[in-house]
Amino acid sequence: MALRDPTSTSQAPPAASERLSLGVAARLSRYLQVLTQAKKMGKETISSQELSDYTHVNSTQIRRDLSGFGKFGKRGVGYNVDALVSQIRKILRTSGQHNIALFGAGNLGTAIASSDIFADHGFRVVAIFDSDPGKVGTPIGAQTVRATGDLTTVVDEEDVVVAVLAVPTAAAQPLADRLVEAGVKIIFNYSEALLQVPPEVTVHTSSPAVDLLYALYFYLT
């Protein structure tokens, strides 16, 4: 395969009517996570085998996934990290910046707000909310904690597209209902609640226990 220069034109991302399959989108997201970290570590190139080691996706599958969108690698050299990060973001349509509202200013919420995990992928936390009056007004990172009563106004003014819920399970569904009413289309849920939302709203629930089970599977097999 010929090496694709980062500034050259590659095959265009799929049109809106040609949505990626769930499996491909999930794998590309995992590749992007590894590539972003590799970039921060100063790596200029990475092989499909290295990507496989970090993602547990077969290297042949990785090459197949990437070759479907253009020629990004060179045999014996690997993939240019910067170029591949840029191309995968285009394919996933995540180029640019997207605004996030974070709900919950407890230990988890504070850790999320203080981390670079979202900023590394073009997401910016523009507001932090908490229902505890004692936490409202306290600074966390570049933001000051707001009362949840300001939710609708902030979502509109800050053009929030993603809400991150780091709240107790019992509080998650009522909060999700308010977010749907406010027009938020993506909810990232750190609670154990099984959220009920309309079909046009996407919910992703992150569970450390499930992630550990996933890792344990590969250890045992």
Side-chain angles (χ1 to χ4, degrees), residues 44-63:
E44 295 183 357
T45 60
I46 192 169
S47 68
S48 58
Q49 186 56 55
E50 287 178 291
L51 281 172
S52 176
D53 292 341
Y54 287 116
T55 62
H56 297 295
V57 177
N58 183 279
S59 60
T60 300
Q61 180 65 61
I62 291 172
R63 292 191 293 272

Side-chain angles (χ1 to χ4, degrees), residues 121-179:
H121 295 280
F123 295 100
R124 182 169 69 106
V125 177
V126 296
I128 303 172
F129 295 89
D130 201 282
S131 59
D132 182 354
K135 293 178 180 178
V136 173
T138 60
I140 297 180
Q143 300 296 327
T144 298
V145 179
R146 303 169 183 252
T148 54
D150 298 335
L151 181 160
T152 302
T153 300
V154 173
V155 166
D156 182 55
E157 291 180 350
E158 298 287 352
D159 191 25
V160 172
V161 296
V162 182
V164 177
L165 307 189
V167 299
T169 299
Q173 185 63 58
L175 190 52
D177 293 340
R178 293 182 61 192
L179 289 166

